[in-house]
Amino acid sequence: MTITLYGIKNCDTVKKARKWLEQHAIDYRFVDHRADGLDPVELARWLAVLGWEQLVNKRGTTYRALSDADKASLGPDTAAARLLSSPAMIKRPLLELDGQLHLGFNAELYSRLFNK
């Protein structure tokens, strides 16, 4: 089983997800978008699977700080470039479990995914 958790280490929701995984003795690899950067190929796959609307965190401060014009111009053709330049704008955490992608943290979902 291959488990990778993507996010930003100081994000409270990412902290909750990491704590849950550690409490359940689940080995995983953590990739910090901000510190480690984003792989454009991985990002393209996430966008293809999840769609830009789901991947963009519209509740976060990075998105809210955008001008109205920048928000209006965000779409399928511009999302990849915007997310590469502002990885904090990706909804998090993003859990990749055996090739399947799951956005956000929900203890019930994680319990189902890991049979805990």
Side-chain angles (χ1 to χ4, degrees):
M1 180 180 300
T2 304
I3 303 163
T4 306
L5 189 72
Y6 299 90
I8 296 172
K9 68 181 173 186
N10 63 346
C11 170
D12 289 339
T13 309
V14 170
K15 288 178 185 178
K16 289 176 190 175
R18 294 183 76 182
K19 182 178 179 180
W20 190 97
L21 291 169
E22 289 161 9
Q23 286 176 336
H24 291 85
I26 296 171
D27 288 331
Y28 68 96
R29 180 174 68 102
F30 178 66
V31 177
D32 186 321
H33 294 154
R34 190 174 290 152
D36 302 329
L38 282 172
D39 178 349
V41 174
E42 281 295 305
L43 179 61
R45 185 173 66 85
W46 300 345
L47 287 165
V49 171
L50 298 169
W52 73 271
E53 298 96 339
Q54 230 183 325
L55 200 56
V56 172
N57 180 8
K58 292 184 177 179
R59 291 183 176 182
T61 56
T62 305
Y63 177 82
R64 291 183 305 192
L66 294 176
S67 68
D68 289 341
D70 283 342
K71 288 177 187 174
S73 70
L74 191 60
D77 297 330
T78 60
R82 174 67 68 179
L83 294 174
L84 282 170
S85 68
S86 300
M89 207 162 57
I90 294 176
K91 197 175 288 183
R92 52 194 182 265
L94 173 62
L95 175 71
E96 183 168 2
L97 174 62
D98 291 333
Q100 293 187 338
L101 302 174
H102 305 275
L103 271 176
F105 172 70
N106 177 296
E108 290 179 20
L109 171 64
Y110 276 40
S111 293
R112 284 195 309 273
L113 291 172
F114 295 104
N115 298 315
K116 298 287 181 184

